């Protein structure tokens, strides 16, 4: 089956595992720390359902005209518990009020991994906020289908490629609302897990993790990795953290498919959300440092859901103000850095490999940060 042979494009949406009638597909983590489908060939009956459902092997087109908006939740607590302006939590509210189910990514503090879960399993607040780690989809698509078959409304939120997998597998039913976000790329879950294990002392347990702590001003200096453990709290700016920097600026530890992402421009979701960096082109005073969301409705269903958002300060804008979010990105240098990085990376030795590849100025940056701290500039 071809799903095992498309490693550079597979996005681990898990549609193949969800439809397999033999239940013979799993998505274990590979040596680089990403999930990929594996078939138990002795059970496979060559039905090819996995190939028929795969969004990588069956490209879809988009139909509707898009509509752009920006805004933020009027509820301060929603806004502070979100990464941008709280669009995701606001979209979730009517689905939950109707007895439906909301899917997103929740961090597992025991296994130190990110997994797609629903509000039937975890609270909405556990799904909120960006976690810059690949999330394990497993058989999420099968679980979403089960809910839809029972007549429940479902909101699914994930990366554009996960959303494409959901769309390809489950179509466009009235009860299914698919939301994705503008995505820089997903970094390795395995590297994050190994690095975190190394940071924790014996008997120390992680209790909170935040890639965008709310005490730092949105868009200015909020890219910080905050780890709260049973021994205390530590916050490190992204440029001093080997994982965060490998993800955000070096592009060295992203999933293979991210380097030629098929969904940067083409979103198969109903709604795409993002940080609204485009506010500067409209009016810089819109930014109050608490977070702004960009929302782009890609379908009429998405447009209806956005325009019905309650307790959200919503403004429709010309599409030219959202164009920046869909601009092509060149990850060629990142790919080369990735090759150099994985040639020297050994599990649990992230900083060592980073210092040999993309973190060469680490000591200078750390010194500059310490001086700034002494001068109370951070
Ligand atoms: C890996 C990653 C890269 C991103 N890159 C960009 C970017 O380049 N530009 C930009 O403007 N915005 C980017 N975002 C999106 C942005 O950070 C906000 O998540 C988005 O604006 C939504 O904010 P919110 O306040 O509406 O909701 P939030 O409360 O922040 O909700 C975020 C939603 O995304 C889900 N989610 C979180 N982490 C993951 C994950 N790893 N995989 C799948 N789903 C996840 C959550 O479960 C929730 O449904 C990225 C997010 C992630 C996770």
């Amino acid at each position: 089956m071809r799903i095992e042979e498309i490693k550079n494009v597979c996005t681990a949406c898990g549609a193949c595992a969800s439809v397999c009638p033999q239940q013979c597909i799993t998505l274990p983590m590979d040596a680089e720390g990403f999930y990929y489908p594996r078939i138990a060939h002795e059970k496979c009956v060559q039905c090819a359902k996995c190939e028929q459902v795969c969004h990588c092997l069956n490209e879809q087109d988009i139909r509707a005209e898009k509509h752009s908006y920006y805004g933020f939740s009027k509820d301060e607590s929603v806004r502070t518990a979100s990464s941008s302006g709280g669009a995701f939590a606001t979209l979730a509210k009517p689905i939950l009020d109707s007895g439906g189910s909301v899917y997103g990514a929740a961090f597992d503090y025991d296994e130190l991994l990110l997994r797609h879960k629903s509000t039937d399993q975890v609270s909405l607040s556990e799904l909120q906020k960006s976690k810059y780690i690949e999330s394990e989809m497993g058989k999420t698509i099968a679980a979403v289908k089960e809910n839809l078959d029972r007549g429940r409304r479902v909101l699914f939120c994930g990366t554009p490629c996960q959303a494409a997998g959901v769309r390809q597998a489950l179509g466009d039913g009235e009860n299914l609302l698919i939301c994705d976000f503008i995505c820089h790329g997903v970094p390795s879950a395995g590297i994050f897990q190994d690095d975190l294990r190394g940071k924790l002392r014996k008997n120390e347990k992680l209790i909170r993790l935040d890639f965008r702590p709310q005490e730092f001003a949105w868009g200015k200096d909020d890219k910080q990795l905050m780890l709260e453990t049973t021994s205390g709290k530590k916050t490190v700016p992204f440029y001093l953290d080997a994982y965060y920097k490998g993800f955000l600026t070096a592009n060295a530890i992203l999933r293979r498919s991210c380097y030629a992402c098929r969904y940067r421009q083409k979103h198969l979701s109903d709604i795409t959300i993002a940080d609204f960096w485009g506010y500067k082109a409209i009016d810089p005073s819109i930014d109050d440092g608490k977070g702004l969301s960009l929302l782009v409705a890609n379908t009429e269903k998405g447009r209806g859901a956005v325009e019905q958002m309650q307790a959200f300060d919503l403004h429709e804008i010309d599409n030219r103000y959202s164009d920046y979010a869909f601009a092509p990105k060149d990850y060629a240098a990142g790919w080369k850095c990735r090759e150099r990085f994985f040639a020297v990376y050994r599990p649990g030795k992230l900083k060592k490999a980073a210092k040999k590849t993309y973190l060469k100025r680490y000591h200078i940056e750390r010194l500059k940060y310490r001086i700034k701290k002494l001068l109370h500039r951070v």
Side-chain angles (χ1 to χ4, degrees), residues 58-206:
N58 304 276
E59 281 197 52
Q60 275 194 48
D61 277 331
I62 28 173
R63 294 134 286 163
E65 191 192 323
K66 65 179 189 180
H67 293 266
S68 305
Y69 310 78
Y70 84 87
F72 54 88
S73 172
K74 291 181 191 164
D75 183 335
E76 284 281 319
S77 63
V78 168
R79 211 171 164 197
T80 46
S82 304
S83 300
S84 309
F88 162 68
T90 312
L91 286 166
K93 180 119 195 344
I95 306 282
L96 293 174
D97 289 349
S98 72
S101 188
V102 174
Y103 285 78
F107 194 70
D108 180 331
Y109 286 88
D110 293 319
E111 293 199 48
L112 308 179
L113 291 171
L114 189 67
R115 296 213 161 87
H116 253 74
K117 294 254 165 89
S118 82
T119 44
D120 299 326
Q121 301 161 291
V122 295
S123 65
L124 181 66
S125 63
E126 286 175 75
L127 302 182
Q128 278 172 266
K129 292 212 91 163
S130 298
K131 295 103 179 170
Y132 299 133
I133 316 161
E134 179 176 53
S135 84
E136 185 185 24
M137 282 282 281
K139 290 191 183 170
T140 297
I141 290 177
V144 171
K145 182 174 184 307
E146 222 175 283
N147 276 302
L148 293 171
D149 290 346
R150 284 165 53 204
R152 293 178 83 192
R153 291 176 72 199
V154 172
L155 167 65
F156 172 88
C157 186
T159 61
C161 54
Q162 289 170 340
V166 176
R167 174 69 79 219
Q168 177 76 21
L170 302 179
D172 199 13
E174 198 191 327
N175 279 346
L176 175 62
L177 187 65
I178 304 180
C179 177
D180 63 9
F181 42 79
I182 296 296
C183 181
H184 177 84
V186 285
S188 165
I191 293 183
F192 187 74
Q193 186 190 42
D194 280 341
D195 188 47
L196 212 47
R197 278 186 182 143
K199 281 176 177 153
L200 296 173
R201 285 193 298 270
K202 209 174 166 225
N203 298 327
E204 188 182 17
K205 193 176 170 343
L206 185 67

Side-chain angles (χ1 to χ4, degrees), residues 8-11 56 59 161 184-185 254-265 329-332 335 338:
N8 282 354
V9 288
C10 170
T11 69
C56 305
E59 281 197 52
C161 54
H184 177 84
L254 304 179
R255 188 178 176 86
R256 288 169 175 271
S257 54
C258 300
Y259 294 83
C261 176
R262 293 179 175 185
Y263 301 103
R264 200 150 278 135
Q265 279 81 35
K329 284 186 184 173
D330 184 358
Y331 281 23
W335 179 259
R338 185 189 202 279

Side-chain angles (χ1 to χ4, degrees), residues 180-375:
D180 63 9
F181 42 79
I182 296 296
C183 181
H184 177 84
V186 285
S188 165
I191 293 183
F192 187 74
Q193 186 190 42
D194 280 341
D195 188 47
L196 212 47
R197 278 186 182 143
K199 281 176 177 153
L200 296 173
R201 285 193 298 270
K202 209 174 166 225
N203 298 327
E204 188 182 17
K205 193 176 170 343
L206 185 67
I207 47 180
R208 203 157 73 89
L209 158 95
D210 200 335
F211 285 91
R212 314 261 306 252
Q214 52 195 251
E215 54 267 39
F216 298 90
W218 175 80
K220 307 265 179 333
D221 55 1
D222 62 337
K223 304 281 190 319
Q224 312 258 351
L225 179 60
M226 192 283 285
L227 299 174
E228 189 177 343
T229 72
T230 39
S231 320
K233 199 164 117 175
K234 196 175 170 197
T235 308
V236 180
F238 81 89
Y239 54 86
L240 287 183
D241 184 76
Y243 178 83
Y244 216 145
K245 194 165 164 96
F247 154 61
L248 196 61
T249 49
N251 292 334
I253 56 168
L254 304 179
R255 188 178 176 86
R256 288 169 175 271
S257 54
C258 300
Y259 294 83
C261 176
R262 293 179 175 185
Y263 301 103
R264 200 150 278 135
Q265 279 81 35
K266 186 171 93 174
H267 290 251
L268 300 183
S269 61
D270 295 299
I271 304 162
T272 300
I273 55 179
D275 287 293
F276 184 47
W277 308 129
Y279 72 88
K280 291 172 199 144
I282 297 180
D283 173 6
S285 72
I286 299 170
D287 175 29
D288 58 4
K290 295 178 184 170
L292 297 170
S293 287
L294 171 72
L295 300 96
V296 177
N298 302 314
T299 62
E300 275 308 303
K301 193 186 350 169
R303 190 180 178 194
V306 170
E307 295 197 347
Q308 280 159 30
M309 284 164 82
Q310 298 286 314
F312 199 82
D313 199 329
L314 184 73
H315 304 262
E316 183 154 10
I317 51 173
D318 193 283
N319 284 335
R320 72 174 189 276
Y321 294 117
S322 64
D323 281 349
Y324 76 94
F326 302 94
K329 284 186 184 173
D330 184 358
Y331 281 23
W335 179 259
K336 283 194 185 131
C337 191
R338 185 189 202 279
E339 288 184 317
R340 286 198 305 275
F341 173 84
F342 278 108
V344 293
Y345 175 72
R346 298 290 167 270
K349 304 280 180 216
L350 168 62
K351 206 179 226 174
K352 199 170 168 192
K355 279 183 182 169
K356 284 187 186 162
T357 48
Y358 58 83
L359 211 61
K360 289 184 175 157
R361 283 169 52 87
Y362 176 74
H363 294 293
I364 299 168
E365 294 293 344
R366 196 177 55 173
L367 187 67
K368 280 198 318 205
Y369 177 71
R370 286 194 172 155
I371 294 169
K372 269 197 216 164
K373 234 181 159 176
L374 278 173
L375 297 171

